[in-house]
Amino acid sequence: MQLSDASAPAVRRLGVAALALALAGTATLLTGGLSATGRAFPAPTPPATCGKGDLPETDVQGRVPQADYDSGRAAKGYRCNTRAVGHQGRTGGFKVLRYTDTRGHTCAYYDSTRFFPTDVPFQASSGFGVIVLDMARPRQPTVATTLTSPTMQSPHESLLVNEKRGLLAAVMGNAYTSAGILEVYDLSADCRAPKLLSRTPEAILGHESGWSRDGKTFYAASSGGQTFVAIDLTDPTSPKRLFQQRGVNYHGMRLSNDGRTMYVANIGNDLSGGTLPGEGLRILDVSEIQDRDPDPEVTVLSDLTWPEGSIPQVAQPFTRGGRHYLLEVDEFSRYGLNGGSPDAAHAQVGAARIIDVEDPRHPKVVSHLRLQVQQPAERIAARNDPGASSPLGGYTAHYCSAPRRKNPRLVACSMIGSGLRVFDIRKLRRPVEAAYFNQPSTSGSKGASAMAQPAWDVKRRSIWYADGNSGFHVVRLTHGVGRLLRR
């Protein structure tokens, strides 16, 4: 089994950056404005055209200004080609997942913890752990149970469902790393009552994860802990470690349909200047793990970076006309790139992008998904908005998703202070915003905190997402946007 170790200096530098995190292709590349250092930014995605009866934003795309809180406008929320259908709870974490069991019951799963212990006051009223919702009536999501086992109380960004096998899995994690206890639940018989199949330390350390589509291999990455592990779940009651590597700072990991190619959000270890580096995308050949080679090796096929990046979060594979692409999103913002400026207004936002990976050895960015408020000048203008100065939020991005892997025409992103944003990607090189839904909190922790990976109810033309300040939402696409979900 291949094992590489990072040098001690690299590990120490990584620790500094991870602690800071815990605390805190086209012509458009040249037309979006300049940072304080003169670096070119991609242009924002053209904004949505709202329909009759909507409540559109009052300022630039994605912004909720202080004046709207003062006037009471913010309390009404902002919706464009969307409407609220259902709601539950007061908090939310990093994932919203959907699964329909063998008897036709449909459930939602979302984690309640973003950053333990700061979420404890909200959790005290909404419940600790992973919330299981019976979605038989989307207008009235009903809590079926709450998973309160050790890992499910703090899975960080690792919670995933494998639809083929009906398995829910996560590793214990936090913003730096944690014990990495892997827990696997069976959902297939009754998604409303998950059954714990195993609890093991096979993941070593925890933060983020990935899963092969056949449901037989679960991957765990610890980010700050510098570990990357593959675990055999052929028998989910008896997980077995297949591979481990040290010295890599990987974030979210997603795989090709055949499980042989991995797309890694690579944070990297080059921390020169004390900054979080935002390395970008790494593509790995993991075929020897998928084939169960007794001594597997993992080969780096390529690395791709982008100048406007922040912290790479995850890259979701999809195809268009048989060609392979990724929907990649960066989280938060990148500090220290403008003369070491510590304030959020001058920090660089990576947002999201579409990447062509038809040739995995030569990936290339083909377009960007950005909001006007994420541009340098607009961020400075919005610096005093509620929540805008947060190093772990504000007008930045966190997770995106597509309704299907084959030929999606819409994608959705949780863009924290700007809420849920929906993009029309029928023209991959020229995407446009199609809809949005933002319900900022007007008391306590003001502003929105939409960090969760959205889930899709295609039949009902709806999106499910969670906001850390307001809970789980069911949002229906209106004014014809939902029709783009048809195959």
Side-chain angles (χ1 to χ4, degrees):
M1 180 176 293
Q2 187 185 49
L3 182 67
S4 62
D5 292 297
S7 65
V11 172
R12 285 195 295 269
R13 291 196 302 271
L14 177 65
V16 172
L19 179 59
L21 173 60
L23 297 175
T26 62
T28 60
L29 285 169
L30 301 178
T31 61
L34 299 175
S35 70
T37 60
R39 175 180 286 121
F41 271 70
T45 305
T49 300
C50 302
K52 184 178 180 180
D54 286 345
L55 291 173
E57 293 166 328
T58 63
D59 207 290
V60 299
Q61 181 189 30
R63 185 181 180 189
V64 182
Q66 179 65 53
D68 282 10
Y69 290 88
D70 296 339
S71 69
R73 172 66 184 85
K76 298 178 182 179
Y78 305 84
R79 62 176 188 265
C80 179
N81 301 325
T82 59
R83 65 179 174 86
V85 172
H87 175 258
Q88 193 276 328
R90 294 183 55 216
T91 188
F94 298 121
K95 297 285 178 62
V96 173
L97 307 170
R98 182 179 187 273
Y99 177 72
T100 300
D101 64 31
T102 55
R103 294 189 288 178
H105 303 121
T106 297
C107 296
Y109 307 87
Y110 72 97
D111 50 311
S112 65
T113 306
R114 294 166 299 172
F115 304 105
F116 182 83
T118 59
D119 289 340
V120 167
F122 275 157
Q123 287 178 295
S125 61
S126 293
F128 292 82
V130 171
I131 314 299
V132 180
L133 298 180
D134 183 344
M135 296 300 293
R137 293 182 294 173
R139 293 180 181 275
Q140 295 179 308
T142 302
V143 177
T145 189
T146 301
L147 305 181
T148 58
S149 53
T151 292
M152 295 298 158
Q153 292 197 43
S154 187
H156 201 60
E157 296 168 336
S158 69
L159 190 72
L160 287 176
V161 166
N162 182 269
E163 293 189 9
K164 183 173 182 177
R165 300 188 68 193
L167 297 175
L168 174 76
V171 295
M172 187 183 294
N174 58 37
Y176 180 77
T177 191
S178 190
I181 304 300
L182 170 68
E183 291 182 351
V184 183
Y185 283 79
D186 176 42
L187 311 177
S188 60
D190 188 344
C191 67
R192 302 166 299 181
K195 178 183 178 182
L196 181 63
L197 299 179
S198 59
R199 177 185 297 129
T200 69
E202 291 299 294
I204 304 180
L205 297 171
H207 181 104
E208 247 279 15
S209 68
W211 210 329
S212 62
R213 294 199 82 194
D214 63 12
K216 295 180 180 180
T217 312
F218 190 83
Y219 292 87
S222 63
S223 189
Q226 294 268 289
T227 59
F228 167 50
V229 177
I231 301 163
D232 185 355
L233 287 183
T234 303
D235 179 357
T237 67
S238 182
K240 295 180 174 60
R241 193 179 308 154
L242 296 167
F243 173 88
Q244 66 184 56
Q245 183 179 5
R246 299 184 186 274
V248 291
N249 187 2
Y250 291 165
H251 216 178
M253 302 165 287
R254 299 296 181 264
L255 289 106
S256 59
N257 287 351
D258 62 8
R260 304 174 71 82
T261 303
M262 176 178 282
Y263 307 104
V264 177
N266 180 27
I267 297 177
N269 290 326
D270 179 9
L271 305 177
S272 56
T275 66
L276 289 169
E279 285 292 330
L281 172 71
R282 171 165 287 181
I283 302 181
L284 300 177
D285 179 348
V286 293
S287 56
E288 292 189 11
I289 293 175
Q290 183 70 9
D291 293 341
R292 298 301 189 262
D293 187 295
D295 187 25
E297 293 189 5
V298 170
T299 303
V300 176
L301 298 178
S302 61
D303 286 299
L304 177 69
T305 61
W306 35 89
E308 76 288 345
S310 49
I311 306 168
Q313 175 63 62
V314 74
Q316 305 275 358
F318 71 94
T319 61
R320 173 64 60 80
R323 192 174 184 88
H324 293 82
Y325 295 90
L326 300 175
L327 170 63
E328 195 281 338
V329 62
D330 290 357
E331 70 173 1
F332 305 144
S333 57
R334 184 175 177 184
Y335 281 80
L337 294 184
N338 299 298
S341 172
D343 75 291
H346 291 86
Q348 182 167 295
V349 175
R353 61 201 50 77
I354 294 172
I355 303 172
D356 185 326
V357 291
E358 182 65 19
D359 179 355
R361 295 185 182 275
H362 298 94
K364 55 186 179 182
V365 175
V366 299
S367 60
H368 297 266
L369 305 175
R370 300 180 64 84
L371 305 180
Q372 186 71 43
V373 76
Q374 294 166 345
Q375 301 300 93
E378 285 76 5
R379 282 181 61 76
I380 294 171
R383 71 174 71 196
N384 294 320
D385 292 351
S389 63
S390 170
L392 298 176
Y395 297 124
T396 63
H398 199 261
Y399 267 110
C400 296
S401 69
R404 58 177 65 90
R405 285 201 176 198
K406 185 176 180 180
N407 298 328
R409 295 187 286 178
L410 293 177
V411 298
C413 296
S414 289
M415 289 192 166
I416 310 185
S418 301
L420 177 72
R421 317 301 294 205
V422 182
F423 299 94
D424 178 347
I425 63 165
R426 285 177 292 178
K427 296 180 179 179
L428 287 179
R429 295 180 181 273
R430 295 189 299 277
V432 298
E433 188 178 37
Y436 57 79
F437 183 91
N438 191 9
Q439 187 63 60
S441 171
T442 56
S443 63
S445 298
K446 288 188 176 181
S449 184
M451 294 193 189
Q453 174 182 299
W456 297 79
D457 184 348
V458 172
K459 182 178 179 180
R460 293 183 174 88
R461 300 178 181 178
S462 298
I463 303 173
W464 306 345
Y465 83 103
D467 184 297
N469 292 339
S470 62
F472 174 89
H473 297 268
V474 179
V475 176
R476 184 175 174 85
L477 299 173
T478 62
H479 298 128
V481 175
R483 288 197 291 269
L484 295 180
L485 290 175
R486 295 184 300 188
R487 292 185 182 275

